[in-house]
């Protein structure tokens, strides 16, 4: 993988604290900002996590992939009219 590919990958952001669970129809549905982002089901094989596109459950945390956000922005200055200087 070259440098351009790694910079174009979506940014993985932990959003666990922003997620709410609601028990509905025999499973725990996961919501963020009133949108359903996944569900947790208990099966004979164990706990199953089904996440919406752009979300991932990993190591007991929930992550969202943000497209169009650089992992290594060149410069950022607060208070600039456009945010980027």
């Amino acid at each position: 993988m070259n440098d351009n590919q790694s910079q174009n990958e979506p940014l993985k952001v932990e959003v666990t604290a922003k997620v709410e669970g609601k028990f509905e129809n025999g499973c725990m549905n996961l919501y963020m900002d009133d949108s359903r982002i996944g569900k947790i089901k208990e099966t004979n094989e164990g706990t199953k996590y089904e996440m919406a596109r752009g979300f991932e459950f990993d190591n007991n945390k929930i992550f969202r992939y943000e497209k169009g956000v650089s992992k290594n922005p060149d410069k950022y200055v607060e208070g600039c009219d456009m945010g980027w200087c």
Side-chain angles (χ1 to χ4, degrees), residues 36-72:
R36 193 169 79 115
I37 63 163
K39 64 182 174 181
I40 303 170
K41 298 190 308 187
E42 290 294 329
T43 68
N44 292 336
E45 293 84 34
T47 305
K48 301 288 182 187
Y49 299 88
E50 296 178 11
M51 303 302 296
R53 185 177 192 166
F55 290 88
E56 175 181 293
F57 183 85
D58 183 31
N59 200 25
N60 292 320
K61 295 179 182 177
I62 299 172
F63 296 90
R64 177 179 63 200
Y65 288 93
E66 296 182 1
K67 293 181 182 179
V69 178
S70 174
K71 289 184 178 182
N72 301 311

Side-chain angles (χ1 to χ4, degrees), residues 3-85:
D3 289 335
N4 289 337
Q5 287 174 320
S6 64
Q7 289 179 359
N8 292 330
E9 292 178 9
L11 181 64
K12 184 177 177 180
V13 178
E14 183 187 350
V15 294
T16 307
K18 298 178 180 180
V19 176
E20 296 181 0
K22 296 179 185 177
F23 192 75
E24 302 169 322
N25 301 318
C27 65
M28 180 67 67
N29 286 306
L30 303 174
Y31 291 88
M32 190 172 93
D33 299 328
D34 297 324
S35 296
R36 193 169 79 115
I37 63 163
K39 64 182 174 181
I40 303 170
K41 298 190 308 187
E42 290 294 329
T43 68
N44 292 336
E45 293 84 34
T47 305
K48 301 288 182 187
Y49 299 88
E50 296 178 11
M51 303 302 296
R53 185 177 192 166
F55 290 88
E56 175 181 293
F57 183 85
D58 183 31
N59 200 25
N60 292 320
K61 295 179 182 177
I62 299 172
F63 296 90
R64 177 179 63 200
Y65 288 93
E66 296 182 1
K67 293 181 182 179
V69 178
S70 174
K71 289 184 178 182
N72 301 311
D74 292 333
K75 297 179 183 176
Y76 180 77
V77 179
E78 289 190 36
C80 199
D81 289 346
M82 299 294 288
W84 291 95
C85 297

